[in-house]
Amino acid sequence: MKKNTPSSTTTTCPPLQFDTSTWFAPELTKLSEHLNDRMVEMMRFYPESDYKTLRTMISKRNALHIDNIVITAGRTAAFYAIAEAFAGKKGVILVPSYQHYELATKRYGWQLTYLPEDIETQEIQLEGQEFCWICSPNNPTGRLRSRAELLELIGRYPSVYFVIDQSYATFTTQPTLTLSDVKGHPNIIFVSSFTQTYGLPGLRIGYVTADKKIIKEIQKVVDPWSVSTMAVEVAKYILIHPAQFTLPIRKWQRNALELETKLRQIDGLEVMPSDAPFFLVQIHCATAAELIKYLLEEHNIALYDATNLRGIKGEMVRITSRDATDNAKLLEAITAFCESR
Amino acid sequence: MKKNTPSSTTTTCPPLQFDTSTWFAPELTKLSEHLNDRMVEMMRFYPESDYKTLRTMISKRNALHIDNIVITAGRTAAFYAIAEAFAGKKGVILVPSYQHYELATKRYGWQLTYLPEDIETQEIQLEGQEFCWICSPNNPTGRLRSRAELLELIGRYPSVYFVIDQSYATFTTQPTLTLSDVKGHPNIIFVSSFTQTYGLPGLRIGYVTADKKIIKEIQKVVDPWSVSTMAVEVAKYILIHPAQFTLPIRKWQRNALELETKLRQIDGLEVMPSDAPFFLVQIHCATAAELIKYLLEEHNIALYDATNLRGIKGEMVRITSRDATDNAKLLEAITAFCESR
């Protein structure tokens, strides 16, 4: 029997997650109590048909109509529903970004054009295009497109639909597009997530916000009864208790900046600029896979390997900042790795 | 302030559910304790990629391979995935049955033929057909097709795929098809549910069992990341602790038979034959909607209105038996309604 050895610790503790692009420290004590009291009914009862109460709550908070909202089994399912509802369209994807934009649209026969994600917003040309998929701040680069620039682009191409991934909209203090913008802009299709914003990837619930006609088309291809009663309950709880879930974004950004600054002092790494608490790091002293293997096996730390994403050149990892204590562990581990090279 | 009036009781208590086709009394104490201990991690962590552990558990229990199984966000999502994977096919649906067979296949351009569900299995003719959708015991009729008859049909048409809805396979003491039958029959596509069998409709998890080639096609159209971590955890718990979830089917059937016998003594009703603990009742003394409205408003009892299902003639409700005490309440309420007519 091995006890208290590093390897048994590694097996039993989940790794320190620098690899997910989600908020790392949600405070879930009150929510857990709320759910524990409702455990049996969350299993025993179907979710509400068409999720009317939840859609009403989301629409009211954004001064929209319930028919502007459709609920999906996670934001990824939302992208597949959009891709299916508008099968075969011509679309532009800025890369690197979330790979399911590409996988979803390819499944449904879209004709895709890829633009480099570091293009300035005012230089994006969409003549002859029908859709443009944009994530801001973008995952994995962390690049923010300003609200003003996005509104200019969306206004410049009124016949192009813009699929705007709002998953990281709370990961910045700068003004972003907001769901109520669909009122003046029938060509915006927002996708929102509970996973990223609230650090709750286990739930599988997301939603699309758009003009009623668009939502009607998407609703036609969303699988009925695919969101769990618990996910709906959590979503409603979050909307009723927003203060419990406010992201301490300034503090998180300070920690991220400090981590970036210190990583820049390590030879063999190149930290890419980012507006979000996650960022890309080019690895010059090894392959990304080697670094990731070392960190996981020797330090029980997880990073995300971005090397094979479309639009990425060279060996690249994505790091999502945690708190100062965890960040110090990561710095120490990466320093040890690079010095051994 | 109204207090303790019938109407406020009606508002706060959920109705006595005779309207769902699910097991009505799962014992969830131990499962709830198990989940309460894991509440935060079920929200904080993604489900396992491709649900490998769960698929391994299901496949091992049925002497199958992991590649014979695909997990979906509920059985309904499974039907849509099958319909999409084989878009545009020719299929036969026996009616009345679960309406999503028809809705799913129509969404994906199938050419449908409807056969009356009361046809004898040996008389089903499938020349020129590519798929046949069968539920046994069937919802809403409760009709069971014997294992021997189904195997004869499936063997008679080796080039036709049979989508077999296993949701109610535990609702009978007679031998039914079992998941391991896919080994000898590459033309069977089983859909299994946790909702019906275990009375857990809140979870949204189901799965398809079939030949590897079929599963590969279905996997291509299943939305990634659509099943919640909690649903996967519950499914694994059920597979590890089957004794906690064994249906007391003989007792349930006795209660159902007694209810049917007593309902047959009421003038104005016609109880249809059924092999399951749910059954159809033709209403002669009123419309189904009138009976349902009366029961809900005056007795807080819910029945399912089957009148508008394809293949149903006349005013029809489906009743799922509960225990003797609840059944007595239903009998009293229906008797009062029919006598007032």
Side-chain angles (χ1 to χ4, degrees), chain B residues 34-195:
Chain B
H34 176 86
L35 296 175
N36 283 347
D37 292 343
R38 285 157 184 80
M39 185 57 86
V40 169
E41 64 193 82
M42 290 191 305
M43 292 193 277
R44 292 280 291 119
F45 291 97
Y46 281 94
E48 186 184 23
S49 170
D50 292 332
Y51 316 107
K52 279 201 182 107
T53 306
L54 177 58
R55 286 162 61 220
T56 302
M57 290 171 70
I58 295 170
S59 57
K60 281 193 177 162
R61 263 156 195 73
N62 296 285
L64 294 170
H65 188 273
I66 184 174
D67 293 337
N68 291 123
I69 313 282
V70 58
I71 308 290
T72 59
R75 70 159 178 153
T76 305
F79 296 128
Y80 282 82
I82 293 167
E84 181 174 358
F86 302 100
K89 294 289 184 189
K90 279 189 192 170
V92 166
I93 297 177
L94 306 182
V95 291
S97 196
Y98 187 46
Q99 57 186 342
H100 282 286
Y101 307 157
E102 177 180 340
L103 294 173
T105 48
K106 279 188 171 167
R107 181 192 282 182
Y108 294 103
W110 287 49
Q111 301 168 58
L112 295 177
T113 303
Y114 305 100
L115 287 181
E117 197 267 336
D118 57 4
I119 190 173
E120 294 298 328
T121 306
Q122 58 267 35
E123 286 168 12
I124 295 175
Q125 301 294 325
L126 298 173
E127 277 71 25
Q129 296 292 344
E130 296 170 297
F131 281 74
C132 180
W133 296 59
I134 291 179
C135 186
S136 174
N138 183 49
N139 176 10
T141 60
R143 182 209 177 103
L144 176 77
R145 294 180 192 279
S146 79
R147 173 175 168 80
E149 283 174 342
L150 284 173
L151 286 177
E152 183 277 326
L153 176 67
I154 290 161
R156 181 149 45 96
Y157 293 104
S159 64
V160 173
Y161 287 100
F162 290 85
V163 179
I164 305 285
D165 185 348
Q166 287 288 89
S167 300
Y168 309 100
T170 56
F171 285 21
T172 173
T173 55
Q174 302 300 310
T176 59
L177 295 179
T178 59
L179 300 190
S180 57
D181 286 327
V182 301
K183 271 189 293 189
H185 304 87
N187 59 331
I188 300 182
I189 303 172
F190 284 117
V191 174
S192 302
S193 153
F194 285 90
T195 295

Side-chain angles (χ1 to χ4, degrees), chain B residues 59-332:
Chain B
S59 57
K60 281 193 177 162
R61 263 156 195 73
N62 296 285
L64 294 170
H65 188 273
I66 184 174
D67 293 337
N68 291 123
I69 313 282
V70 58
I71 308 290
T72 59
R75 70 159 178 153
T76 305
F79 296 128
Y80 282 82
I82 293 167
E84 181 174 358
F86 302 100
K89 294 289 184 189
K90 279 189 192 170
V92 166
I93 297 177
L94 306 182
V95 291
S97 196
Y98 187 46
Q99 57 186 342
H100 282 286
Y101 307 157
E102 177 180 340
L103 294 173
T105 48
K106 279 188 171 167
R107 181 192 282 182
Y108 294 103
W110 287 49
Q111 301 168 58
L112 295 177
T113 303
Y114 305 100
L115 287 181
E117 197 267 336
D118 57 4
I119 190 173
E120 294 298 328
T121 306
Q122 58 267 35
E123 286 168 12
I124 295 175
Q125 301 294 325
L126 298 173
E127 277 71 25
Q129 296 292 344
E130 296 170 297
F131 281 74
C132 180
W133 296 59
I134 291 179
C135 186
S136 174
N138 183 49
N139 176 10
T141 60
R143 182 209 177 103
L144 176 77
R145 294 180 192 279
S146 79
R147 173 175 168 80
E149 283 174 342
L150 284 173
L151 286 177
E152 183 277 326
L153 176 67
I154 290 161
R156 181 149 45 96
Y157 293 104
S159 64
V160 173
Y161 287 100
F162 290 85
V163 179
I164 305 285
D165 185 348
Q166 287 288 89
S167 300
Y168 309 100
T170 56
F171 285 21
T172 173
T173 55
Q174 302 300 310
T176 59
L177 295 179
T178 59
L179 300 190
S180 57
D181 286 327
V182 301
K183 271 189 293 189
H185 304 87
N187 59 331
I188 300 182
I189 303 172
F190 284 117
V191 174
S192 302
S193 153
F194 285 90
T195 295
Q196 275 68 22
T197 313
Y198 304 108
L200 302 173
L203 298 176
R204 314 322 304 146
I205 181 165
Y207 55 99
V208 184
T209 308
D211 187 74
K212 291 177 191 183
K213 283 182 205 159
I214 297 286
I215 292 298
K216 203 172 169 186
E217 294 305 308
I218 297 169
Q219 182 73 67
K220 283 182 193 166
V221 299
V222 168
D223 287 340
W225 302 114
S226 60
V227 181
S228 73
T229 303
M230 173 176 164
V232 174
E233 186 63 30
V234 172
K236 290 197 282 192
Y237 184 91
I238 290 173
L239 291 168
I240 293 170
H241 305 89
Q244 286 178 35
F245 299 91
T246 306
L247 215 58
I249 182 61
R250 288 178 197 281
K251 190 175 176 192
W252 195 16
Q253 283 194 327
R254 273 200 307 277
N255 286 334
L257 264 175
E258 195 181 310
L259 177 60
E260 289 174 56
T261 306
K262 289 184 177 166
L263 284 169
R264 285 204 173 91
Q265 294 162 8
I266 301 175
D267 282 344
L269 303 182
E270 187 180 346
V271 179
M272 303 292 159
S274 165
D275 303 300
F278 52 77
F279 48 87
L280 289 172
V281 179
Q282 186 116 45
I283 313 297
H284 293 300
C285 62
T287 65
E290 284 165 348
L291 172 62
I292 285 167
K293 185 168 185 282
Y294 167 83
L295 291 175
L296 192 63
E297 290 180 357
E298 302 297 324
H299 299 273
N300 202 27
I301 284 174
L303 296 191
Y304 178 78
D305 192 341
T307 306
N308 293 320
L309 290 184
R310 185 186 292 277
I312 291 286
K313 288 177 192 119
E315 298 292 324
M316 196 79 83
V317 297
R318 186 195 62 208
I319 297 176
T320 304
S321 172
R322 297 176 61 90
D323 63 18
T325 312
D326 290 346
N327 287 353
K329 288 180 193 163
L330 174 66
L331 270 166
E332 193 181 336

Side-chain angles (χ1 to χ4, degrees), chain A residues 24 26 36 39-40 42-45 80 84 107-108 199-202 204 220-222 225 227-230, chain B residues 24 26 32 36 39 42-45 84 107-108 199-202 204 220-222 225 227-230:
Chain A
F24 68 96
N36 283 347
M39 186 58 85
V40 169
M42 290 192 304
M43 292 193 277
R44 293 280 291 120
F45 291 97
Y80 281 82
E84 182 175 358
R107 181 192 283 181
Y108 294 103
L200 302 173
R204 316 321 305 148
K220 282 182 193 166
V221 298
V222 168
W225 301 114
V227 181
S228 73
T229 304
M230 172 176 165
Chain B
F24 68 95
S32 296
N36 283 347
M39 185 57 86
M42 290 191 305
M43 292 193 277
R44 292 280 291 119
F45 291 97
E84 181 174 358
R107 181 192 282 182
Y108 294 103
L200 302 173
R204 314 322 304 146
K220 283 182 193 166
V221 299
V222 168
W225 302 114
V227 181
S228 73
T229 303
M230 173 176 164

Side-chain angles (χ1 to χ4, degrees), chain A residues 326-341:
Chain A
D326 290 346
N327 287 353
K329 287 180 194 163
L330 174 66
L331 271 167
E332 194 181 336
I334 292 190
T335 304
F337 176 81
C338 290
E339 285 177 355
S340 73
R341 290 278 143 174

